[in-house]
Amino acid sequence: MSFQINKLYYGDYGESKNGAADISTNQTNTAEWPLWEVFIRSKQGLDHKHAGSLHAADAAMAIENARDVYTRRMEGVSIWVVESKYIHASNPDEAGSLYDPANDKAYRHPTFYHLPEEVKYM
Amino acid sequence: MEQAFEQIFQDKIDREVRIEPKDWMPEKYRQTLIRQISQHAHSEIIGMLPEGNWITRAPSLRRKAILLAKVQDEAGHGLYLYSAAETLGISRDQMYDQLHTGKAKYSSIFNYPTLSWADMGVVGWLVDGAAIMNQVPLCRSSFGPYARAMVRVCKEESFHQRQGFEILYVLSKGTEAQRRMAQDAINRWWWPSLMMFGPKDDESPNSIQSMKWKIKRFSNDELRQKFVDVCAEQVKVLGFTLPDKDLKWNEERGHYDFGPINWDEFWQVVQGNGPCNKERLDARKKAWEEGAWVRDAALAYANKKAKQKQAAA
């Protein structure tokens, strides 16, 4: 299958002229600050939620940068950072079999049960 | 096999299921996104320069604080977008390198100079206005990290446009010289703002694939027309005019007609011959090179601290 994309969009001036898309990955640059994932608690009582990522030399800098990048409008009261390489994730290709055990257990939901109308507060 | 993946992928897109970084995707989709997102990020970063020009010369403390906040937002927008692009397997340094070597482009609007204070108003009103017109549909882009970054960007961008319009509104109530300055700025920025939407649709024929992938949802001309319609009305509030003698309401179409765009100028600027291309790129390269010792020192310090901690444990 081959694709030809010549459509030019906003911020995209086409690759024949100025393309920037050839990605030679796995180029390890040791001088690059490591990548951190940022989690923010938007207010007391709520969970920390993934907000995005950023680069920083160490954890203290990551937290300060996270404050500047992700909480300029009081979006947070608490910040967690973790180096991205320490995140382990499930494989999306295996999502089908991974979540399969939950598929046929509708009886785990309260709506599975039919109760008489006159039962209140349940 | 490839074809089966391709089919599953397209089905997801058609059902408006977002694509996430670890999902299978066609290589061309990945590359198109890397190019578009990184160029978008570069535009935010380079976009700080024309406005940074006026931070020290803002006419009041209020305006200075606002401009500082706005430029800081642009830096943030660049960082959200770089992060989104990184999820596709390109490193931050690779993207910087592409920018600094001229391999990657950024929005050509930022290659125009900001000559007067009124330019800060027009950049907010027209340049950020055009950007918002483009960016709002990108919040529904098929690639999850890009769409999420754009939601953040759009939330913050609205203040940018409003503060710009307010600058112009104040000038429009000012002295004759202030009104002249504002009109001059509008005259210089109007056409480059229209060029921000990119080439005409019929000059970019193979659009089907990208639309099908829902990376973008409206064509350049559709968005440009929408922008003209909005601005033609807004300029009346200011009591200024847009520099286009062909600008006229077309009852039949239900849109404003407008004059031809100078595409030669557009391509000249894209190809590096705009008034400020060299200056902008030089400023970025200088910042990068002169910041090298800071990056190295921070990393060396972090490594030393980590070793000390290990030794103590």
Side-chain angles (χ1 to χ4, degrees):
Chain A
M1 275 216 120
S2 76
F3 291 107
Q4 194 67 39
I5 303 180
N6 294 331
K7 178 76 177 175
L8 299 163
Y9 288 119
Y10 172 66
D12 178 358
Y13 305 116
E15 61 186 336
S16 57
K17 283 193 168 62
N18 313 299
D22 73 79
I23 42 162
S24 31
T25 38
N26 303 326
Q27 165 211 324
T28 36
N29 181 348
T30 46
E32 191 170 300
W33 288 347
L35 189 67
W36 300 74
E37 299 301 319
V38 178
F39 300 83
I40 296 197
R41 186 200 294 283
S42 60
K43 76 179 210 212
Q44 213 61 20
L46 296 183
D47 297 323
H48 285 77
K49 198 175 154 217
H50 186 239
S53 56
L54 49 75
H55 288 271
D58 57 27
M61 189 195 280
I63 288 173
E64 275 179 20
N65 287 359
R67 177 202 59 192
D68 292 343
V69 177
Y70 293 106
T71 65
R72 285 193 305 285
R73 288 173 177 76
M74 300 188 297
E75 289 97 335
V77 295
S78 165
I79 297 173
W80 286 352
V81 293
V82 59
E83 249 191 276
S84 309
K85 66 179 179 191
Y86 294 124
I87 302 253
H88 298 267
S90 62
N91 183 349
D93 297 338
E94 292 163 7
S97 55
L98 188 64
Y99 302 112
D100 177 63
N103 260 347
D104 55 356
K105 297 179 180 63
Y107 47 84
R108 282 177 172 159
H109 297 276
T111 47
F112 181 77
Y113 302 92
H114 303 288
L115 301 186
E117 284 286 323
E118 54 268 36
V119 181
K120 303 289 182 203
Y121 309 113
M122 190 182 282
Chain B
M1 192 63 176
E2 177 90 0
Q3 214 135 2
F5 281 138
E6 195 85 53
Q7 191 53 47
I8 296 169
F9 175 81
Q10 189 60 51
D11 284 348
K12 275 162 97 176
I13 300 249
D14 293 343
R15 284 183 291 124
E16 298 288 335
V17 174
R18 295 285 178 269
I19 306 302
E20 294 296 337
K22 298 265 189 289
D23 296 346
W24 185 90
M25 63 185 81
E27 197 46 36
K28 195 76 197 175
Y29 176 85
R30 179 190 300 277
Q31 291 189 2
T32 304
L33 275 170
I34 286 178
R35 194 181 62 229
Q36 187 174 326
I37 300 172
S38 66
Q39 289 185 351
H40 195 159
H42 298 327
S43 300
E44 299 283 355
I45 297 303
I46 296 282
M48 291 194 282
L49 298 171
E51 292 184 299
N53 185 32
W54 282 92
I55 289 176
T56 56
R57 289 177 280 169
S60 68
L61 192 56
R62 176 177 183 267
R63 293 293 179 195
K64 191 196 288 263
I66 292 169
L67 194 54
L68 268 172
K70 179 174 191 290
V71 171
Q72 197 190 14
D73 272 356
E74 312 293 3
H77 297 175
L79 294 176
Y80 305 154
L81 289 162
Y82 280 131
S83 300
E86 278 174 275
T87 64
L88 290 159
I90 186 167
S91 78
R92 185 75 57 98
D93 281 4
Q94 278 174 291
M95 285 186 275
Y96 286 154
D97 188 60
Q98 290 178 342
L99 175 66
H100 298 155
T101 55
K103 205 167 161 225
K105 294 295 169 189
Y106 50 87
S107 180
S108 54
I109 192 82
F110 301 119
N111 289 318
Y112 290 87
T114 44
L115 302 179
S116 75
W117 170 251
D119 287 33
M120 292 304 95
V122 177
V123 166
W125 175 41
L126 294 181
V127 176
D128 291 321
I132 291 171
M133 204 64 91
N134 274 304
Q135 288 167 350
V136 168
L138 290 176
C139 295
R140 294 188 298 129
S141 166
S142 59
F143 186 57
Y146 191 28
R148 290 193 287 274
M150 290 317 301
V151 169
R152 273 173 190 286
V153 169
C154 286
K155 262 191 212 157
E156 300 179 353
E157 201 77 46
S158 158
F159 123 65
H160 298 183
Q161 195 188 16
R162 290 174 65 105
Q163 66 85 35
F165 195 86
E166 191 202 62
I167 289 175
L168 292 175
Y169 189 71
V170 169
L171 290 176
S172 78
K173 303 279 174 228
T175 64
E176 182 51 35
Q178 287 174 321
R179 279 197 298 276
R180 256 204 319 274
M181 178 170 77
Q183 181 64 62
D184 168 67
I186 293 171
N187 293 349
R188 281 183 288 109
W189 287 92
W190 173 246
W191 291 105
S193 301
L194 290 192
M195 294 173 198
M196 282 178 72
F197 294 91
K200 284 199 302 210
D201 293 346
D202 54 13
E203 279 164 22
S204 25
N206 298 323
S207 66
I208 304 150
Q209 186 63 67
S210 239
M211 286 296 224
K212 213 171 138 199
W213 278 339
K214 295 185 182 167
I215 291 173
K216 177 112 192 229
R217 291 165 184 264
F218 297 98
S219 80
N220 297 352
D221 284 337
E222 283 173 308
L223 290 168
R224 183 164 22 238
Q225 179 69 60
K226 212 170 144 196
F227 181 69
V228 171
D229 291 346
V230 168
C231 292
E233 291 299 322
Q234 289 172 347
V235 77
K236 292 179 187 167
V237 179
L238 297 172
F240 296 130
T241 55
L242 298 174
D244 180 356
K245 62 177 170 40
D246 298 321
L247 187 74
K248 206 172 73 227
W249 177 252
N250 183 327
E251 193 67 57
E252 202 178 312
R253 289 202 309 127
H255 290 293
Y256 276 89
D257 289 338
F258 55 100
I261 291 169
N262 182 352
W263 291 112
D264 283 346
E265 178 184 324
F266 174 76
W267 288 113
Q268 282 294 327
V269 179
V270 168
Q271 281 152 25
N273 303 319
C276 299
N277 291 58
K278 191 173 175 318
E279 187 186 329
R280 301 290 185 239
L281 217 47
D282 285 350
R284 274 319 304 163
K285 281 192 277 197
K286 182 164 176 275
W288 177 249
E289 281 156 16
E290 293 182 356
W293 72 270
V294 180
R295 295 192 298 276
D296 293 344
L299 201 57
Y301 178 76
N303 288 340
K304 186 179 85 178
K305 281 282 158 197
K307 269 200 200 106
Q308 280 173 351
K309 207 171 154 190
Q310 220 168 14

